[in-house]
Protein backbone atom coordinates (compact mmCIF):
# COMPACT_ATOMS: atom_id res chain seq x y z
CA UNK A 1 0.00 0.00 0.00
CA UNK A 2 0.99 3.60 -0.68
CA UNK A 3 0.66 6.43 1.81
CA UNK A 4 0.69 10.06 0.55
CA UNK A 5 1.29 12.87 3.04
CA UNK A 6 2.51 16.46 3.29
CA UNK A 7 6.29 16.73 3.49
CA UNK A 8 6.60 18.61 6.80
CA UNK A 9 10.41 18.17 6.83
CA UNK A 10 10.36 16.65 10.32
CA UNK A 11 12.18 13.31 10.49
CA UNK A 12 10.22 10.23 11.51
CA UNK A 13 10.92 6.49 11.45
CA UNK A 14 9.93 4.82 8.19
CA UNK A 15 6.73 2.77 8.14
CA UNK A 16 7.71 -0.74 7.00
CA UNK A 17 4.10 -1.59 6.05
CA UNK A 18 3.78 1.15 3.39
CA UNK A 19 5.50 2.82 0.47
CA UNK A 20 5.65 6.47 1.56
CA UNK A 21 5.13 9.48 -0.71
CA UNK A 22 5.66 13.08 0.42
CA UNK A 23 4.67 16.28 -1.39
CA UNK A 24 5.26 19.96 -0.67
CA UNK A 25 5.34 23.30 -2.53
CA UNK A 26 8.75 24.54 -3.68
CA UNK A 27 9.70 28.16 -4.30
CA UNK A 28 13.16 29.20 -5.46
CA UNK A 29 14.87 32.08 -7.24
CA UNK A 30 17.73 32.81 -9.60
CA UNK A 31 18.64 36.00 -11.41
CA UNK A 32 17.71 34.76 -14.92
CA UNK A 33 14.47 32.82 -14.27
CA UNK A 34 13.29 35.16 -11.53
CA UNK A 35 11.03 33.44 -9.03
CA UNK A 36 10.46 29.72 -9.61
CA UNK A 37 7.23 28.19 -8.26
CA UNK A 38 6.56 24.49 -8.24
CA UNK A 39 6.22 21.20 -6.39
CA UNK A 40 8.58 18.75 -4.75
CA UNK A 41 7.73 15.03 -4.53
CA UNK A 42 9.77 12.26 -2.96
CA UNK A 43 9.10 8.64 -2.06
CA UNK A 44 10.72 5.47 -0.77
CA UNK A 45 10.22 2.13 0.95
CA UNK A 46 12.45 1.98 4.05
CA UNK A 47 14.82 4.35 2.21
CA UNK A 48 16.01 1.30 0.28
CA UNK A 49 13.63 0.39 -2.56
CA UNK A 50 12.39 2.74 -5.31
CA UNK A 51 13.82 5.86 -3.67
CA UNK A 52 13.19 9.01 -5.70
CA UNK A 53 12.88 12.76 -5.44
CA UNK A 54 11.56 15.11 -8.10
CA UNK A 55 10.89 18.81 -8.67
CA UNK A 56 9.05 20.74 -11.32
CA UNK A 57 9.00 24.54 -11.49
CA UNK A 58 7.29 27.22 -13.56
CA UNK A 59 9.76 30.08 -14.03
CA UNK A 60 7.83 33.33 -13.69
CA UNK A 61 10.52 35.81 -14.82
CA UNK A 62 9.52 38.07 -11.92
CA UNK A 63 12.30 40.27 -10.46
CA UNK A 64 15.00 39.16 -12.87
CA UNK A 65 18.45 40.66 -12.34
CA UNK A 66 20.13 40.38 -15.73
CA UNK A 67 23.52 41.16 -17.18
CA UNK A 68 23.74 43.93 -19.81
CA UNK A 69 23.63 41.61 -22.83
CA UNK A 70 20.97 39.20 -21.59
CA UNK A 71 17.51 38.92 -23.18
CA UNK A 72 14.94 38.51 -20.43
CA UNK A 73 12.65 36.45 -22.68
CA UNK A 74 15.18 33.68 -23.38
CA UNK A 75 15.05 32.09 -19.92
CA UNK A 76 13.57 28.60 -19.47
CA UNK A 77 9.79 28.57 -18.95
CA UNK A 78 9.87 25.27 -17.04
CA UNK A 79 12.54 23.40 -15.10
CA UNK A 80 12.59 19.90 -13.66
CA UNK A 81 14.82 17.34 -11.98
CA UNK A 82 14.29 13.63 -11.18
CA UNK A 83 16.54 11.28 -9.18
CA UNK A 84 15.92 7.56 -8.65
CA UNK A 85 17.73 4.62 -7.06
CA UNK A 86 16.77 1.14 -5.91
CA UNK A 87 18.40 -1.74 -4.09
CA UNK A 88 19.59 -4.75 -6.13
CA UNK A 89 20.24 -7.23 -3.30
CA UNK A 90 18.40 -10.01 -5.12
CA UNK A 91 21.01 -9.85 -7.90
CA UNK A 92 24.10 -8.62 -6.02
CA UNK A 93 24.31 -7.93 -2.29
CA UNK A 94 24.87 -4.36 -1.07
CA UNK A 95 24.43 -2.81 -4.49
CA UNK A 96 22.02 -0.37 -6.10
CA UNK A 97 21.36 1.13 -9.50
CA UNK A 98 20.43 4.77 -10.03
CA UNK A 99 19.72 7.40 -12.65
CA UNK A 100 18.97 11.10 -12.74
CA UNK A 101 17.75 13.52 -15.39
CA UNK A 102 17.23 17.27 -15.28
CA UNK A 103 16.73 20.40 -17.30
CA UNK A 104 17.60 23.06 -14.79
CA UNK A 105 19.27 26.48 -14.81
CA UNK A 106 20.40 26.20 -18.42
CA UNK A 107 21.82 22.69 -18.08
CA UNK A 108 20.50 19.43 -19.56
CA UNK A 109 22.04 16.51 -17.65
CA UNK A 110 21.62 12.75 -17.47
CA UNK A 111 23.40 10.14 -15.33
CA UNK A 112 23.00 6.38 -14.91
CA UNK A 113 25.19 4.13 -12.80
CA UNK A 114 25.67 1.32 -10.31
CA UNK A 115 27.23 1.27 -6.82
CA UNK A 116 28.52 -1.74 -4.88
CA UNK A 117 29.61 -1.87 -1.22
CA UNK A 118 31.80 -4.57 0.31
CA UNK A 119 30.78 -6.53 3.41
CA UNK A 120 32.51 -4.11 5.79
CA UNK A 121 30.53 -1.15 4.46
CA UNK A 122 33.73 0.94 4.39
CA UNK A 123 34.47 0.52 0.69
CA UNK A 124 32.24 1.58 -2.20
CA UNK A 125 32.88 0.87 -5.89
CA UNK A 126 31.01 2.78 -8.57
CA UNK A 127 30.58 3.08 -12.33
CA UNK A 128 28.42 5.65 -14.12
CA UNK A 129 27.78 7.41 -17.43
CA UNK A 130 27.24 11.17 -17.31
CA UNK A 131 26.06 13.64 -19.97
CA UNK A 132 26.12 17.47 -19.74
CA UNK A 133 24.81 19.88 -22.37
CA UNK A 134 23.98 23.60 -22.66
CA UNK A 135 21.95 24.30 -25.76
CA UNK A 136 22.65 27.99 -26.51
CA UNK A 137 24.59 31.03 -25.34
CA UNK A 138 21.58 32.21 -23.34
CA UNK A 139 22.05 29.16 -21.09
CA UNK A 140 25.39 30.63 -20.00
CA UNK A 141 23.52 33.52 -18.38
CA UNK A 142 22.66 31.24 -15.46
CA UNK A 143 26.26 30.78 -14.36
CA UNK A 144 27.24 32.08 -10.95
CA UNK A 145 30.66 33.08 -12.29
CA UNK A 146 29.67 35.13 -15.33
CA UNK A 147 30.99 37.90 -17.55
CA UNK A 148 31.32 40.30 -14.62
CA UNK A 149 34.33 38.29 -13.38
CA UNK A 150 35.42 36.01 -16.22
CA UNK A 151 34.06 35.25 -19.64
CA UNK A 152 31.36 32.60 -19.23
CA UNK A 153 32.70 30.85 -22.31
CA UNK A 154 35.89 30.09 -20.37
CA UNK A 155 33.83 27.90 -18.03
CA UNK A 156 31.25 26.34 -20.36
CA UNK A 157 30.71 26.14 -24.10
CA UNK A 158 27.21 26.07 -25.57
CA UNK A 159 26.07 23.36 -28.01
CA UNK A 160 28.82 20.98 -26.81
CA UNK A 161 28.10 17.60 -25.25
CA UNK A 162 30.34 16.52 -22.39
CA UNK A 163 29.69 12.75 -22.19
CA UNK A 164 31.89 10.74 -19.83
CA UNK A 165 32.25 7.36 -18.13
CA UNK A 166 33.64 7.31 -14.58
CA UNK A 167 35.01 4.33 -12.65
CA UNK A 168 35.97 4.82 -9.03
CA UNK A 169 36.30 3.64 -5.44
CA UNK A 170 35.57 5.33 -2.12
CA UNK A 171 36.98 4.32 1.28
CA UNK A 172 35.71 5.66 4.63
CA UNK A 173 37.61 5.29 7.89
CA UNK A 174 37.74 6.46 11.50
CA UNK A 175 40.67 7.54 13.63
CA UNK A 176 41.19 9.06 17.06
CA UNK A 177 38.69 11.94 17.37
CA UNK A 178 37.90 12.00 13.70
CA UNK A 179 36.83 10.36 10.47
CA UNK A 180 37.74 10.62 6.83
CA UNK A 181 37.08 9.57 3.26
CA UNK A 182 39.33 8.79 0.28
CA UNK A 183 37.94 8.87 -3.24
CA UNK A 184 39.86 7.74 -6.35
CA UNK A 185 38.27 7.92 -9.80
CA UNK A 186 39.15 7.53 -13.48
CA UNK A 187 37.03 9.52 -15.94
CA UNK A 188 37.14 9.43 -19.73
CA UNK A 189 35.18 11.08 -22.52
CA UNK A 190 32.62 8.74 -24.03
CA UNK A 191 30.18 8.04 -26.86
CA UNK A 192 28.95 11.10 -28.83
CA UNK A 193 31.07 13.51 -26.76
CA UNK A 194 32.35 16.73 -28.34
CA UNK A 195 35.41 16.58 -26.07
CA UNK A 196 38.34 14.18 -25.81
CA UNK A 197 40.14 13.78 -22.47
CA UNK A 198 40.91 11.44 -19.56
CA UNK A 199 41.34 12.32 -15.88
CA UNK A 200 42.65 10.47 -12.84
CA UNK A 201 41.53 12.12 -9.59
CA UNK A 202 42.31 11.68 -5.90
CA UNK A 203 40.48 13.40 -3.02
CA UNK A 204 40.87 13.01 0.74
CA UNK A 205 38.53 14.66 3.26
CA UNK A 206 39.06 14.54 7.02
CA UNK A 207 37.06 15.82 9.99
CA UNK A 208 38.86 16.04 13.35
CA UNK A 209 37.35 17.09 16.68
CA UNK A 210 39.54 19.47 18.70
CA UNK A 211 37.57 19.89 21.91
CA UNK A 212 34.65 22.13 20.96
CA UNK A 213 36.20 22.93 17.60
CA UNK A 214 36.15 20.91 14.39
CA UNK A 215 39.02 20.92 11.91
CA UNK A 216 38.09 20.03 8.33
CA UNK A 217 40.84 19.37 5.79
CA UNK A 218 40.82 18.46 2.11
CA UNK A 219 43.51 17.26 -0.27
CA UNK A 220 42.80 17.11 -4.01
CA UNK A 221 45.04 15.93 -6.84
CA UNK A 222 44.20 15.40 -10.49
CA UNK A 223 46.11 14.56 -13.65
CA UNK A 224 44.52 14.84 -17.07
CA UNK A 225 45.38 14.16 -20.67
CA UNK A 226 43.62 14.90 -23.96
CA UNK A 227 43.60 17.15 -26.99
CA UNK A 228 40.23 18.76 -26.21
CA UNK A 229 39.31 18.76 -22.48
CA UNK A 230 35.95 20.15 -21.32
CA UNK A 231 36.53 23.45 -19.47
CA UNK A 232 33.80 22.73 -16.89
CA UNK A 233 35.46 19.45 -15.86
CA UNK A 234 39.02 20.67 -15.31
CA UNK A 235 40.53 21.26 -11.88
CA UNK A 236 40.33 24.76 -10.37
CA UNK A 237 42.29 26.33 -7.53
CA UNK A 238 39.05 27.60 -6.00
CA UNK A 239 37.89 24.04 -5.20
CA UNK A 240 34.82 22.68 -6.94
CA UNK A 241 34.88 23.01 -10.72
CA UNK A 242 31.84 24.28 -12.69
CA UNK A 243 30.61 20.71 -13.25
CA UNK A 244 30.57 20.02 -9.50
CA UNK A 245 28.94 23.39 -8.79
CA UNK A 246 25.87 22.24 -10.74
CA UNK A 247 25.18 19.61 -8.03
CA UNK A 248 24.66 22.30 -5.36
CA UNK A 249 21.48 24.37 -5.41
CA UNK A 250 23.31 27.39 -3.96
CA UNK A 251 26.00 27.47 -6.67
CA UNK A 252 24.30 26.08 -9.78
CA UNK A 253 23.10 29.57 -10.79
CA UNK A 254 23.47 33.21 -9.77
CA UNK A 255 21.14 35.06 -7.46
CA UNK A 256 19.87 32.35 -5.10
CA UNK A 257 17.59 32.93 -2.09
Amino acid sequence: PVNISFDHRIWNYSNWTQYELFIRPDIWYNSFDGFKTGLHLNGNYLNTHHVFDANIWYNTGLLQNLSENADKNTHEKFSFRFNYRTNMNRIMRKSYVYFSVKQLDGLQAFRVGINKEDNSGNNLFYLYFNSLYRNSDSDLEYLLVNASQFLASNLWLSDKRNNTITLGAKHTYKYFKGNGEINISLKSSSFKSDYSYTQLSFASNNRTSLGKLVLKSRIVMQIGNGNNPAPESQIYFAGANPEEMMENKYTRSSGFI
Side-chain angles (χ1 to χ4, degrees), residues 175-190:
Y175 55 90
F176 181 66
K177 292 189 176 181
N179 59 77
E181 176 183 284
I182 294 175
N183 192 358
I184 301 175
S185 65
L186 177 65
K187 177 164 73 172
S188 178
S189 53
S190 182

Side-chain angles (χ1 to χ4, degrees), residues 42-133:
N42 62 279
N44 70 89
Y45 177 73
L46 293 178
N47 201 35
T48 302
H49 295 288
H50 305 302
V51 182
F52 81 93
D53 67 273
N55 293 78
I56 185 169
W57 294 275
Y58 171 68
N59 304 321
T60 65
L62 295 175
L63 300 180
Q64 290 173 298
N65 184 18
L66 305 177
S67 63
E68 294 181 358
N69 299 322
D71 181 350
K72 68 179 183 178
N73 296 316
T74 57
H75 71 88
E76 297 175 344
K77 301 305 180 183
F78 293 92
S79 303
F80 72 90
R81 56 185 288 274
F82 181 83
N83 302 313
Y84 172 86
R85 66 178 172 88
T86 192
N87 186 288
M88 294 202 308
N89 277 344
R90 292 184 179 183
I91 301 174
M92 183 168 53
R93 292 187 66 251
K94 294 192 173 184
S95 66
Y96 62 88
V97 64
Y98 63 92
F99 76 89
S100 63
V101 60
K102 65 183 175 184
Q103 180 169 319
L104 180 61
D105 294 0
L107 178 66
Q108 300 174 28
F110 173 78
R111 177 179 293 188
V112 59
I114 183 171
N115 288 3
K116 172 71 171 72
E117 285 187 351
D118 67 359
N119 291 330
S120 70
N122 296 326
N123 299 296
L124 175 72
F125 306 93
Y126 57 87
L127 173 68
Y128 64 83
F129 169 83
N130 194 52
S131 178
L132 304 172
Y133 179 70

